[in-house]
Amino acid sequence: MKKKRVNPHRRPATLADVQKAKKTAQNEAVTTAWAIFFSALRDKEGFGYTRLRRVWDEVNYLADSVSKGYVSIADLEKELEDYGITLR
């Protein structure tokens, strides 16, 4: 009796597959959020190239500060909550 062939489309997802899908979804979510945020600054607040560039540079500076441990995301969220902006 022959062994049944397994349909390659029905193979179970490995941990690597799940992690890759998670990373892809995270990247897409961040890209979408940035596109919305910077489009609102451009279209609704009238930011031109110079001001958008300045904001982008400051965002990168804060991201670098977080990665180096100078500031935490919780600190940034708390400061925004003080201004009435709740992210969660």
Side-chain angles (χ1 to χ4, degrees), residues 45-77:
E45 297 300 320
F47 278 37
Y49 173 81
T50 304
R51 288 171 62 184
L52 284 174
R53 188 78 220 171
R54 189 169 51 235
V55 170
W56 181 249
D57 291 340
E58 291 297 329
V59 166
N60 282 327
Y61 178 79
L62 273 175
D64 188 52
S65 295
V66 169
S67 71
K68 290 180 179 176
Y70 300 145
V71 68
S72 71
I73 297 296
D75 293 338
L76 298 175
E77 288 176 347

Side-chain angles (χ1 to χ4, degrees), residues 2-69:
K2 283 185 171 181
K3 186 174 180 184
K4 276 183 111 175
R5 289 176 147 237
V6 176
N7 182 344
H9 296 291
R10 296 202 59 189
R11 76 174 173 84
T14 65
L15 181 59
D17 293 335
V18 173
Q19 289 174 339
K20 182 179 177 183
K22 180 179 177 182
K23 183 74 172 170
T24 301
Q26 287 173 337
N27 287 339
E28 188 174 325
V30 169
T31 300
T32 300
W34 283 130
I36 292 168
F37 181 76
F38 281 97
S39 294
L41 289 177
R42 173 75 179 132
D43 297 339
K44 305 301 181 192
E45 297 300 320
F47 278 37
Y49 173 81
T50 304
R51 288 171 62 184
L52 284 174
R53 188 78 220 171
R54 189 169 51 235
V55 170
W56 181 249
D57 291 340
E58 291 297 329
V59 166
N60 282 327
Y61 178 79
L62 273 175
D64 188 52
S65 295
V66 169
S67 71
K68 290 180 179 176

